Amino acid sequence: MDNHNKRREALLYHAKPTPGKIQVVPTKKYATQRDLSLAYSPGVAEPCLEIAKDVNNVYKYTSKGNLVAVITNGTAVLGLGDIGPEASKPVMEGKALLFKIFADIDVFDIEVDTKDIDAFVETVKNIAPTFGGINLEDIKAPESFEIERRLVEELNIPVMHDDQHGTAIISSAALLNALELAKKKIEKVKIVISGAGSAALACANLYVLLGVKHENIIMFDKDGVLSSDREDLSELQKKYSHGSKNATLKEALSGADVFLGLSAGNILSPDMLLGMAKDPIVFAMANPIPEIDYDLAISTRKDIIMATGRSDNPNQVNNVLGFPYIFRGALDVRATKINEAMKMAAVKALAALAKESVPEQVNIAYGETKLIFGRDYIIPKPFDPRLISTVAPAVARAAMESGVALNPILDWQKYEEELLDRLGSDNKMVRLLANRAKTDPKRVVFAEADHLDVLKAAQIAFEDNIAFPILLGNKEIILELKEEIGFLAEVPIYDPKTKEEDKRRNEYADIFWNSRQRRGISLLDSQKWMRERNYFAAMMVNQGHADAMVSGYSRSYASIIKPILQLIDKAPGISLVATTNMMMTNRGPMFLSDTAINPNPSADDLAKIALMTAKTVRMFGMEPVIAMISFSNFGSSSNPSTNKVRDAVKFLHENHPELQVDGEIQADFALNSDMLKNKFPFSKLAGKKVNTLIFPNLESANITYKLLKELYKVDSIGPIMLGMDKPVHIFQLGASVEEMVNMVAVAVVDAQEKEKRNRVK
C-alpha cells in the first residue's frame, strides 16, 4: 500500500463508524424507572452520604478503583514531538485501549493545554479524586521528571510516567536474563547508552538499583558524550556526566558489555559492534528503525544477545508487558503510589516468567515448536496470557510489603483466578491467529476477487503478511478495483472463463473427469464446471497450485460447499464434514458446532463433530472443555433429540475418557459453572469453564451464533470447515472485510497444520 492509501486507511480507522477508539458504557441495569431512580435521583443520594461519612467508600460505590487517567500535554508525542494536546488525543485513546484489552482497566484520556509545570501539576491534582491512578504520557523531559516527582509526593494514588519507567522495567528484566545467559556479573558490566532522554535516564537509574555500578554507565545524547565539562545538561543528566571529554561512541563501546539504544536508527555500525566484549548484549530500541538492523547484528557477532522494540524480531522490549499489569496490581490493593519496590517486583516477575515453560497457545501464536529460555527468548511475549496473573500479583505483594497498600489481598488464589477472568473480554485470539499466520504465510485463492470487499480483504492479508493472494474473477474488473483501492502489488490473477486459462482449465477438467467418470460425470461436464471459479479454485488447491482457498461472499453456503465436497476429499480417517464458529465473547473464545452443514446429526455424528471440534480448539492452543447442549439436563427428558445427545456423550466417555466433555445439558448450566456445580456436582464439567458447545442440530447452532453476533456484536470467525483434507473455507454471505481477513488467517493456519501432518507421514 502506498503512503497515500496508508494515510487514508489510518484516518478512516479513527473516524468510522464512530470517531475515536473508546467509549463509556453502563455497568448497571437501566431499563426501568426503578433502575434509573437507583442510578440517579433519589437513590444516588445513599452512596453519596456513605462516601461523605468515609471517603474510602468511594472505592466501594463508584468506578474510581478501576479508573486510570492517561494524561498528557502533547509535548513529546511518539516520534512527532510537540504537536499539542488536541493532536495527542488519538495516541492517548490508543493507550486507553491497551489498558482495557490487556488488563481490563477503564481509562479517561485527558489532554491538558499547558506547558507550565505548576499549572499542569495543579490541574492533575484538582481532578485526581476521580481516578484510582494516573498514567503520565508523552511529556517532554526534563519537565516530565519534575511533574512526576511532585505528583507522586502530593497525591495518594499511583502515578507513573510510562515513557520513562515502562521501558526501564521491561529492559531491566531483559538485562537480568541476558546477563545470566552471558555469565556476567551485573556489578562488573560496562554499559553504553545512546540517548539521554527520560526513558534512557529511567533505564540507567533502574539498572543502578539492580546492581550496575554508577561509574560503569557511559551516556550519549545527540551532542555527544555526557561529560563534566558540558554546560547544557539537566541535573538528572549530570548524574551520568562522567564520560571522557570528546569520546566517540565507537571508543566508548570498545570492550563494553552492554549497549542500550534509545536514540536514532542505524547509528551502531558493525565495526562498533565488533569492538564490544565477548557475548555482547545489545538493546537497539529506536523505532521503527533500530540503532542497528537485527539481521546485520547477528550476522556480525554470533555471540550477541539482542533485543529491539520491533515485533518482527526476537526479544521485543514492549511497554505493554508492564504498564497494564503494574497498574492492575496497584489498583487492586489501592496502593497510594508506585514505588521502587513495585517496579523491581515487576522486573523480577517478568524475568522469572521467561524461564518458565511456555503455554502451547503462545508457541502456536509465534509459530514456534517450543519457546525456551535462551538468547532468542529473554523476555516474555506480549500475547502470553500468564502476564496478568504473574506481574499484577507481584506488584500487589510488593505494595503490601512496602506499606503502600490500603486494601491488602488475603486470598491470592482467588485473586489470580479473578485476574485470568478479566482476559475474556478482549480479542486476543484474533491477534494470536493473525500473528501465527504471519509466521508462515501461504498462497490463498480468493475465488470472488472481482468484488470490492473481497479484494480489500486480499489486500489486507497481503500487506499484513498473512497470505499471498491468488485472485480469481474478471481480470479487467479486478485490475480496475486494485487501482481504485491502491493495491499496487503484483499478485497472480486468473479468470477461468478466458482462453488465457484454456490449458490449465482443460488439465483440471481431465483430472476431475478421471476421478469421477464412474460416478456419472462426463468430460463435457468437467470442462463446463472448470469454467466456474469455485471448481477452478478447489482444483488449484487439490493440485498444489495454491495452499488454501476462500469463497462464499457473494453466493449461498450451499452453492459453495457443493463443488468443494465434489473435488476435495475428507481428511484421512474422517467420514463426516462439519463446521464450527469461533465466537469472541466476553468470557473468551467459544466454539459452536455444527453451524452450517449437518441438519440433524445422529448420536454417532455428534460424537464425531465433538472430536473434530476438539482438535480445532487445540489447533488454537486451547484445551477443549465441551458441553453437549440440549433442552434437558442429564436424563430429565427422554425425547429422541436428548437421547441422541446422551448416547454421544456415553460414547465419548467410554472411548475418549481424556476429553473434558459432558451432557446432555442446558446452555445456562453449561455456561454458569457455579450453578452447574451446585445442582450437578457429579458432572465432568463442574467447576470448569466451558469453551465449546456442540448443538443437537444445525438450526439451533446456526441460530445461536447469529443471535450472538447481531444482538451483542460478538465477533465471529467461521464457519470453520472441519474434516477436510485440504484447507478450504467458506465466508458467510455478505461477510465484512474484517471477517474475511480473519477467515483467511484461519485458512493459512489450517494449511500450516496440514503441512505439518503431511511431513509426519
Side-chain angles (χ1 to χ4, degrees):
M1 186 187 294
D2 60 22
N3 289 334
H4 172 75
N5 282 286
K6 283 182 179 178
R7 179 176 179 276
R8 181 174 179 273
E9 184 180 15
L11 293 175
L12 283 173
Y13 173 84
H14 287 84
K16 303 290 184 179
T18 303
K21 300 186 288 292
I22 56 175
Q23 65 178 350
V24 177
V25 295
T27 61
K28 297 291 192 296
K29 295 178 181 178
Y30 53 89
T32 67
Q33 181 59 39
R34 181 172 180 274
D35 293 336
L36 295 178
S37 69
L38 290 170
Y40 196 53
S41 182
V44 74
E46 298 306 325
C48 291
L49 293 170
E50 291 301 307
I51 296 168
K53 291 177 191 174
D54 181 356
V55 71
N56 289 316
N57 282 331
V58 70
Y59 288 94
K60 183 176 181 180
Y61 296 113
T62 76
S63 62
K64 177 182 173 82
N66 196 51
L67 188 60
V68 165
V70 172
I71 304 183
T72 190
N73 60 2
T75 53
V77 181
L78 299 177
L80 305 174
D82 184 355
I83 59 175
E86 290 88 355
S88 74
K89 188 172 178 65
V91 180
M92 301 310 113
E93 287 187 348
K95 191 74 174 234
L97 185 71
L98 295 177
F99 265 109
K100 187 64 178 176
I101 66 175
F102 282 100
D104 193 29
I105 293 172
D106 296 317
V107 167
F108 287 156
D109 65 288
I110 296 174
E111 293 74 37
V112 181
D113 189 10
T114 182
K115 296 180 182 179
D116 181 82
I117 291 176
D118 292 334
F120 189 95
V121 169
E122 198 62 26
T123 299
V124 176
K125 286 172 62 179
N126 286 336
I127 63 172
T130 304
F131 301 101
I134 305 289
N135 181 95
L136 299 171
E137 193 78 14
D138 290 352
I139 303 168
K140 76 181 182 71
E143 291 90 333
S144 58
F145 291 100
E146 179 64 10
I147 287 170
E148 185 191 40
R149 184 192 67 76
R150 286 178 54 179
L151 289 173
V152 168
E153 286 181 2
E154 297 173 33
L155 292 177
N156 66 344
I157 57 174
V159 177
M160 188 172 85
H161 187 203
D162 183 50
D163 297 328
Q164 297 175 44
H165 303 295
T167 303
I169 289 165
I170 312 309
S171 70
S172 291
L175 179 64
L176 287 178
N177 284 340
L179 290 173
E180 180 179 328
L181 290 166
K183 296 183 172 59
K184 296 186 178 186
K185 294 187 180 297
I186 195 166
E187 65 273 13
K188 292 184 178 180
V189 294
K190 176 185 173 184
I191 298 179
V192 175
I193 300 178
S194 176
S198 58
L201 290 166
C203 287
N205 291 340
L206 197 51
Y207 294 173
V208 169
L209 287 176
L210 286 170
V212 175
K213 297 292 185 185
H214 193 273
E215 60 270 20
N216 286 345
I217 298 176
I218 305 297
M219 190 175 287
F220 288 77
D221 67 5
K222 60 183 174 58
D223 296 316
V225 68
L226 270 58
S227 58
S228 56
D229 65 309
R230 296 252 314 251
E231 297 180 358
D232 59 337
L233 303 181
S234 69
E235 289 303 313
L236 293 166
Q237 290 172 326
K238 286 178 182 177
K239 288 171 57 179
Y240 299 99
S241 61
H242 43 256
S244 299
K245 183 180 179 181
N246 299 323
T248 65
L249 184 60
K250 181 178 180 179
E251 290 168 346
L253 281 167
S254 179
D257 300 285
V258 180
F259 170 81
L260 171 66
L262 289 160
S263 51
N266 296 324
I267 64 164
L268 180 63
S269 69
D271 192 39
M272 294 178 189
L273 184 57
L274 288 169
M276 292 181 70
K278 183 174 181 280
D279 294 310
I281 297 165
V282 174
F283 294 170
M285 296 190 293
N287 258 326
I289 301 171
E291 282 78 3
I292 185 169
D293 177 73
Y294 176 83
D295 292 330
L296 176 60
I298 62 172
S299 64
T300 302
R301 291 285 299 256
K302 302 300 181 187
D303 59 343
I304 192 172
I305 301 174
M306 187 169 180
T308 70
R310 294 178 60 101
S311 61
D312 53 352
N313 296 328
N315 301 323
Q316 183 191 16
V317 176
N318 188 330
N319 281 18
V320 82
L321 292 168
F323 72 83
Y325 314 114
I326 293 167
F327 271 95
R328 180 76 273 158
L331 292 174
D332 290 339
V333 294
R334 278 177 48 200
T336 57
K337 61 182 61 188
I338 294 173
N339 58 25
E340 298 306 319
M342 295 160 73
K343 295 172 195 171
M344 198 61 70
V347 169
K348 292 179 178 178
L350 285 166
L353 185 59
K355 299 176 187 177
E356 295 181 12
S357 297
V358 176
E360 186 59 19
Q361 181 180 355
V362 180
N363 286 319
I364 287 172
Y366 289 92
E368 300 285 348
T369 304
K370 191 171 181 62
L371 283 166
I372 301 174
F373 177 62
R375 290 173 182 257
D376 289 337
Y377 181 62
I378 61 173
I379 196 76
K381 297 289 189 180
F383 290 146
D384 195 322
R386 301 169 300 169
L387 284 164
I388 193 170
S389 60
T390 300
V391 181
V395 171
R397 284 182 190 274
M400 290 165 56
E401 291 167 1
S402 60
V404 297
L406 300 180
N407 183 39
I409 292 167
L410 302 177
D411 187 337
W412 288 96
Q413 182 177 348
K414 182 180 178 183
Y415 175 56
E416 289 184 18
E417 290 172 357
E418 290 171 352
L419 289 172
L420 290 172
D421 283 342
R422 288 184 179 275
L423 292 177
S425 61
D426 70 14
N427 275 348
K428 278 193 177 67
M429 185 58 72
V430 174
R431 299 195 297 278
L432 289 168
L433 179 64
N435 207 58
R436 184 180 175 192
K438 291 175 186 180
T439 63
D440 186 17
K442 300 297 183 185
R443 300 166 299 167
V444 178
V445 183
F446 289 76
E448 302 159 295
D450 47 11
H451 290 268
L452 180 62
D453 282 355
V454 176
L455 191 61
K456 283 181 180 178
Q459 179 183 21
I460 293 170
F462 178 79
E463 291 173 352
D464 287 355
N465 203 33
I466 291 170
F468 303 116
I470 299 171
L471 309 178
L472 260 59
N474 185 300
K475 192 168 186 177
E476 188 175 326
I477 292 175
I478 291 173
L479 290 172
E480 283 182 16
L481 292 175
K482 280 188 75 202
E483 186 174 351
E484 180 182 329
I485 64 175
F487 187 4
L488 305 179
E490 292 290 332
V491 296
I493 303 174
Y494 301 111
D495 185 348
K497 289 184 169 62
T498 62
K499 285 188 176 182
E500 195 177 337
E501 299 306 325
D502 278 354
K503 183 179 178 182
R504 188 188 297 260
R505 187 175 60 245
N506 290 331
E507 175 189 330
Y508 288 168
D510 287 343
I511 294 168
F512 182 46
W513 178 59
N514 286 327
S515 68
R516 305 277 293 190
Q517 58 187 269
R518 293 182 180 274
R519 299 174 66 181
I521 302 297
S522 69
L523 178 58
L524 188 61
D525 289 333
S526 297
Q527 291 170 339
K528 179 182 69 176
W529 285 338
M530 285 307 142
R531 296 175 65 85
E532 204 277 306
R533 60 184 68 185
N534 288 303
Y535 281 90
F536 192 90
M539 283 300 294
M540 289 190 78
V541 176
N542 244 349
Q543 296 308 113
H545 299 152
D547 301 307
M549 74 166 277
V550 289
S551 186
Y553 172 80
S554 65
R555 301 185 186 185
S556 69
Y557 202 92
S559 67
I560 305 298
I561 195 71
K562 181 182 176 183
I564 287 173
L565 293 179
Q566 280 186 313
L567 271 73
I568 307 291
D569 291 335
K570 299 181 184 69
I574 297 297
S575 60
L576 178 79
V577 174
T579 60
T580 190
N581 274 67
M582 182 164 60
M583 311 299 294
M584 313 314 267
T585 74
N586 60 9
R587 57 181 279 139
M590 292 286 300
F591 292 81
L592 279 56
S593 303
D594 169 19
T595 52
I597 293 181
N598 299 283
N600 189 24
S602 65
D604 183 54
D605 293 339
L606 287 174
K608 291 174 180 175
I609 291 168
L611 291 170
M612 288 192 295
T613 305
K615 184 177 180 181
T616 299
V617 175
R618 291 192 184 101
M619 185 177 84
F620 289 105
M622 300 169 59
E623 188 57 33
V625 182
I626 305 171
M628 306 288 282
I629 300 299
S630 180
F631 64 83
S632 72
N633 286 314
F634 303 110
S636 63
S637 170
S638 58
N639 184 281
S641 177
T642 62
N643 288 342
K644 71 175 183 180
V645 178
R646 198 175 309 135
D647 290 343
V649 171
K650 182 181 178 183
F651 173 85
L652 291 169
H653 282 177
E654 290 175 353
N655 294 279
H656 298 275
E658 78 290 349
L659 198 61
Q660 298 180 81
V661 59
D662 214 344
E664 82 283 15
I665 186 172
Q666 294 175 356
D668 53 350
F669 279 95
L671 299 175
N672 189 323
S673 58
D674 291 335
M675 198 161 74
L676 177 63
K677 193 172 183 178
N678 291 336
K679 188 71 174 175
F680 305 108
F682 57 82
S683 172
K684 290 182 74 171
L685 302 178
K688 294 184 172 63
K689 188 175 180 179
V690 169
N691 56 26
T692 305
L693 304 178
I694 309 298
F695 289 84
N697 53 45
L698 174 60
E699 60 185 342
S700 59
N702 190 274
I703 290 168
T704 299
Y705 103 75
K706 290 189 174 180
L707 277 173
L708 286 171
K709 182 181 170 186
E710 295 304 321
L711 287 179
Y712 301 105
K713 304 304 177 187
V714 173
D715 287 339
S716 171
I717 299 178
I720 300 169
M721 293 287 291
L722 309 176
M724 300 298 292
D725 192 41
K726 303 284 185 181
V728 289
H729 292 280
I730 304 173
F731 304 135
Q732 278 295 292
L733 186 66
S736 69
V737 172
E738 182 181 10
E739 287 171 334
M740 287 189 277
V741 172
N742 289 338
M743 280 298 290
V744 172
V746 167
V748 170
V749 171
D750 190 14
Q752 292 170 353
E753 287 294 303
K754 286 179 167 59
E755 186 176 70
K756 287 180 189 175
R757 179 199 70 191
N758 293 334
R759 280 203 299 264
V760 171
K761 286 180 183 179

